[in-house]
Amino acid sequence: MSAQSQSSPLFSGLPSRVTVYEVGPRDGLQNEQRMVPTADKIALINALSQTGLPQIEITSFVNPKWIPQLADASEVARGITRRAGVGYSCLVPNRRGLDSALDAGMKEVAVFMSASETHNKKNINKTIAETLVAFEEVVVPAQQAGARVRAYVSTVYGCPYEGKVDPEATVRLVEKLLRLGVYQISLGDTIGVATPRQVEDVLRRLGALCSLDQLALHFHDTRGTALANVLVGLQLGITTVDSALGGLGGCPYAPGASGNLATEDLIYMLDGMGVQTGVNLDALVDCSRQVGTIIGRELPSKYLKAHLAACRR
Ligand code: HMG
Ligand code: MG
């Protein structure tokens, strides 16, 4: 517990330290119109590795016909300079993706599926039941090869095709995924519809099943509720939060989904509350400026906008 949080009953549940899981190079760049050159991706990941971030999701080993933006996954994984103390991960949808990821030196992979059937089908072309079977071919072989496995459950709080999603659908999947042996499950608000009471409801249900530090929160900030949702999650015992530098991000199979919670905005809030992350905010902002130049558009991060405005004064 940090000194600041101890002094206020309102913040008494906050953890003293949070793991910020940076997903920008994957979740962010998978959604950009402009193809980012491989060398720029590698330079960005190398720069992110110097900021104090403990985890960086660097790419996806998926079908390049579906996600052409990440067709250079192997080159990126082989090209980066791995820094001690930083975990590098990638998405893999199936055994083929796992094999390619392992060949390219990956030591952490993430499988992904949705709590709603329609999004699952559109995103990975399988039913939920078929997906769980396919994961059996990924999780154990990955572990045997010395890699740890994370899982994502998408559309936890709402689906772009089905609307409301029953929280019990997430509970059932989390139970099955934990049984498969993943070390952590990230709960995706794919289209950014979650509000704090919904987050509390889902986390209280999952708390009956597992320790909340086996879970991570993954918010897209489409409706501006991401930080409020994170705060509720931290008060309930969450210690890992996904975010993307600059607020990059989206899901190509979720129309209207916008950027992830911006890493700068998250770090700013955590720093201000005395919650440690180990991330140097100035160094991170330099990375966001770098990525803004590469993709050629203004990034949505509020902290970044304020910082850039202050620099212009
Ligand atoms: P499919 O077409 O059903 O696959 O795709 P298939 O098994 O029938 O194979 C068809 C072709 O794909 C074959 O090639 C395979 O070799 C190839 P062909 O014979 O036609 O030349 N293939 C692959 N190629 C490269 N790497 C692979 C691979 N597997 C098969 N791993 C598949 C099924 C899952 C592969 C496809 O649907 C796919 O790649 N989907 C990608 C979906 C995706 O990446 N979505 C975005 C990430 S999820 C997300 O953003 C949400 C998240 O951020 C959390 C949140 O916000 O909620 C995680
Ligand atoms: Mg996402």
Side-chain angles (χ1 to χ4, degrees):
M1 200 77 53
S2 74
Q4 284 187 39
S5 46
Q6 266 173 345
S7 62
S8 161
L10 193 57
F11 297 105
S12 60
L14 286 183
S16 56
R17 191 172 183 90
V18 162
T19 299
V20 176
Y21 200 108
E22 171 62 50
V23 296
R26 191 279 304 172
D27 204 343
L29 299 186
Q30 76 180 8
N31 214 43
E32 287 302 320
Q33 301 282 325
R34 192 184 279 191
M35 290 287 179
V36 175
T38 306
D40 287 343
K41 291 179 184 173
I42 291 171
L44 173 65
I45 295 161
N46 288 345
L48 284 169
S49 299
Q50 307 289 331
T51 61
L53 279 164
Q55 281 286 341
I56 308 173
E57 194 169 77
I58 62 166
T59 188
S60 296
F61 289 84
V62 294
N63 185 344
K65 284 190 199 136
W66 288 55
I67 311 282
Q69 293 90 338
L70 303 183
D72 57 359
S74 290
E75 290 88 335
V76 169
R78 288 177 205 277
I80 59 170
T81 304
R82 287 175 164 72
R83 189 183 163 94
V86 181
Y88 299 90
S89 63
C90 60
L91 295 193
V92 296
N94 52 20
R95 180 63 197 254
R96 164 138 186 216
L98 172 68
D99 290 343
S100 307
L102 294 174
D103 276 355
M106 297 305 297
K107 298 270 182 276
E108 175 167 339
V109 299
V111 291
F112 55 104
M113 66 184 307
S114 314
S116 56
E117 274 298 347
T118 317
H119 186 263
N120 201 72
K121 187 80 180 158
K122 293 214 184 254
N123 197 33
I124 47 178
N125 206 20
K126 286 187 179 59
T127 65
I128 287 174
E130 289 165 349
T131 306
L132 287 165
V133 173
F135 286 178
E136 285 173 20
E137 294 170 14
V138 175
V139 179
V140 173
Q143 289 164 341
Q144 283 167 346
R148 64 176 188 167
V149 186
R150 187 184 213 223
Y152 284 94
V153 177
S154 290
T155 64
V156 168
Y157 308 96
C159 170
Y161 307 103
E162 296 178 19
K164 284 207 167 77
V165 176
D166 180 1
E168 285 302 311
T170 297
V171 173
R172 286 192 294 273
L173 287 187
V174 166
E175 196 172 10
K176 290 186 171 121
L177 288 165
L178 288 173
R179 220 179 292 138
L180 275 178
V182 305
Y183 84 92
Q184 184 175 70
I185 298 167
S186 179
L187 305 172
D189 183 17
T190 318
I191 51 169
V193 288
T195 54
R197 269 189 192 273
Q198 241 187 320
V199 175
E200 181 189 18
D201 177 37
V202 168
L203 293 182
R204 288 209 189 280
R205 289 169 194 254
L206 292 172
L209 194 71
C210 63
S211 160
L212 288 198
D213 61 16
Q214 290 175 277
L215 303 174
L217 299 179
H218 179 109
F219 292 111
H220 287 257
D221 203 18
T222 319
R223 291 165 183 78
T225 52
L227 278 178
N229 293 334
V230 166
L231 187 53
V232 166
L234 298 182
Q235 283 165 327
L236 290 171
I238 290 285
T239 54
T240 303
V241 181
D242 299 358
S243 59
L245 75 161
L248 284 169
C251 176
Y253 297 96
S258 66
N260 288 75
L261 166 61
T263 308
E264 305 81 320
D265 299 2
L266 173 64
I267 304 285
Y268 177 76
M269 182 178 86
L270 295 175
D271 280 355
M273 296 193 301
V275 177
Q276 288 174 33
T277 62
V279 182
N280 180 315
L281 188 51
D282 291 334
L284 186 85
V285 163
D286 286 343
C287 294
S288 295
R289 296 176 78 155
Q290 183 180 337
V291 85
T293 309
I294 295 168
I295 63 174
R297 70 176 173 91
E298 194 186 338
L299 291 165
S301 160
K302 293 199 169 43
Y303 182 87
L304 181 64
K305 281 184 204 288
H307 174 87
L308 293 177
C311 291
R312 282 193 292 271
R313 272 206 296 271

